[in-house]
Amino acid sequence: MAIRIIYEKCTLCRQCIDVCPFGAIEIKDDKLFINENCNLCGLCVKTCPEDALIKEEKTISAVDISQYKGIWFFAESRDGKLCPVALEMLNAALKLKKDLGEEVAGVLIGNNVKCLADELKTRGADRVYVIDDPLLEHFKEEPYAIAMAQLITKHKPNIVIAAATMMGRAFIPSVAARIKTGLTADCTDVSIDPETKLLVQTRPTFGGNLMARIICKNHRPQMATIRPKMFDEVPEIEDSPLEIILEQFNKNDLQDRVILLGKEKIENIIDLQEAEVIVSGGRGVKEPKNFAMIKELADLLGGAVGASRAAVDSGWIPYPHQVGQTGKTVKPKIYIACGISGAIQHLAGMQTSDYIIAINKDPDAPIFRVANLGIVGDIFEVIPALIKRIKENKKC
Ligand SMILES: Cc1cc2nc3c(=O)[nH]c(=O)nc-3n(C[C@H](O)[C@H](O)[C@H](O)COP(=O)(O)OP(=O)(O)OC[C@H]3O[C@@H](n4cnc5c(N)ncnc54)[C@H](O)[C@@H]3O)c2cc1C
C-alpha cells in the first residue's frame, strides 16, 4: 500500500499536513512530499478537498507465489531430545493440512538430531528435513537462522510455523528477515481462509484488547510463531511413512560471532508451561508475603506458582508467573485458582487445563463457571487445611 500524490490536482492547501497525526507530510520545493513517518492511516486522503491523494494497493509480489508449496513446522529439540512443543506445532500443521491439502514437513536442526526424526514417524508428518552439524550442537541464533533460511530458500514452503519459545522467538525473526518475508509473532491460533487459502494468523494486539487476524499476501513463506499450549500434542497414529531428507549445512555465510564459553543450569527457574500442577494466587492473596502459602501448596504438589495480573501488577510476584492473555498460556493437569475472580483475560490463559479447582469466598465468582471443583471459602482457611491434610497423608 502507498499514498500517491496527484500533483496536477494538489493546490498545496496544507489541509493534509494539518490533519496528519504523524507529521508525515511536508512541502519541499513547492511540492507535497510524504516522508517515512507515514503509516498509511489514510486521514489525508479523506481530508483532501481536491482528491489529490489516493491510497493505492500496490501488489508487489517479491516472489513467484505459485512455486511455494507445503506446510513446515520447526521441530524444536534440546539436549538431544525432541521438545513436546514440536508435537504441538505438528498438530497445528496437520490442522492446516486438512484445509489446505498440502504436505506437512518438519525441520530438525542440531547435532546428531537425525535419530529424533523417528519420533515423528508415528505422528502423521509426511517428511522431515534434517541438518546435522557439530556447529549446531548448541543453540545459537545466527547458525540456526542461516540453516533454516537455507532450507526455505531451497525447498520453498508455503507456510512455516514455529513455537514462540525462547528458541523460536530468538531465531525465527532473523530467518524471516533473511528471506525477506513477514512474520506474525506469538500467535494464539492459525487457520486457513476458506476463500483465499491464505494463512490467517491470530494474535492479541493493543495490549490484549483486540484479536488481530493477519495475512501475508505477497511474500512467501507465510511465517508465524505460535504460543506453546495453544495446540495439544499430536497423538500417535499407526506407523506412517516418513521421508527423511538429510541436508548439508552451508557455512559460507556464517560469521559465528557468538562463542559459547560454558553452560550453567539455573536452579528454581519457573517453567509454568511445562508444570503439571499450578497453584495460582490472585488479589485475594492480599499481600506479597501470603504467596508463601501458595508456594508451599505448589511445592507439596510438585507444581509451580502462577498468578493473576492483579497480583503481578500489585508487585506481589514477578511477571514470569502471570497466567492469562498478556501472560503465559498454561495447560496443566491440575490448576488451582486461589482468590482469583476469573476475568476473561485470566481464563484465556488457563481454561483448557485438564482439571480446574477454584477457591473463592464469592459463590458468584466467574471462575466457578470453568471450575471442575469449586470451593466456596476463605483461602486463608482452605489452603492451610489442604496443606495440613497433604502433609498428614505424606507421613502415612
Ligand atoms: C488487556 C488486558 C489484558 C489482561 N491480561 C491479563 C492476564 O494476562 N492475566 C490476568 O490474570 N488478568 C489479566 N487482565 C486483568 C483482568 O481483567 C483482571 O483484572 C484480573 O485477572 C483480576 O485478577 P484477580 O482475579 O486476582 O482479582 P479480582 O478480580 O479483584 O478478584 C479477586 C478475587 O478474590 C476473591 N477473594 C478475595 N479475598 C478472598 C479470600 N480471602 N478467600 C477467597 N477468595 C477471596 C474475591 O472474591 C475475588 O473474586 C487483563 C486485563 C486487560 C484489560
Side-chain angles (χ1 to χ4, degrees), residues 353-370:
S353 303
D354 291 351
Y355 196 85
I356 298 170
I357 302 173
I359 312 168
N360 198 304
K361 64 181 183 187
D362 173 6
D364 297 322
I367 191 79
F368 288 129
R369 287 186 218 138
V370 297

Side-chain angles (χ1 to χ4, degrees), residues 192-263:
I192 299 294
D193 181 89
E195 274 175 31
T196 59
K197 297 289 174 196
L198 289 169
L199 180 72
V200 180
Q201 304 151 68
T202 306
R203 57 152 299 153
T205 186
F206 287 106
N209 287 311
L210 282 179
M211 294 305 277
R213 286 158 55 82
I214 297 163
I215 52 168
C216 173
K217 269 163 93 175
N218 300 320
H219 292 75
R220 288 294 178 275
Q222 303 163 85
M223 286 185 69
T225 57
I226 305 173
R227 283 187 184 199
K229 304 290 174 194
M230 301 315 303
F231 289 86
D232 289 332
E233 288 174 30
V234 69
E236 283 205 66
I237 51 167
E238 289 282 295
D239 209 27
S240 56
L242 179 80
E243 189 184 1
I244 299 175
I245 299 172
L246 300 179
E247 294 278 359
Q248 294 297 316
F249 179 36
N250 178 352
K251 299 153 197 125
N252 292 347
D253 298 338
L254 183 66
Q255 296 184 18
D256 214 8
R257 285 165 292 192
V258 176
I259 299 165
L260 186 78
L261 300 176
K263 271 177 129 185

Side-chain angles (χ1 to χ4, degrees), residues 88-142:
E88 294 174 24
M89 292 305 110
L90 173 53
N91 204 6
L94 290 171
K95 174 189 145 185
L96 298 175
K97 179 180 178 174
K98 270 193 198 135
D99 295 327
L100 193 61
E102 294 184 7
E103 289 192 338
V104 165
V107 176
L108 273 166
I109 297 176
N111 190 26
N112 296 322
V113 286
K114 181 177 169 259
C115 52
L116 302 181
D118 288 342
E119 292 181 41
L120 298 171
K121 260 187 187 156
T122 51
R123 305 281 181 161
D126 298 294
R127 183 169 305 123
V128 60
Y129 296 96
V130 183
I131 294 196
D132 241 333
D133 194 289
L135 275 174
L136 301 164
E137 167 91 32
H138 302 290
F139 172 69
K140 287 195 265 176
E141 287 149 33
E142 190 204 359

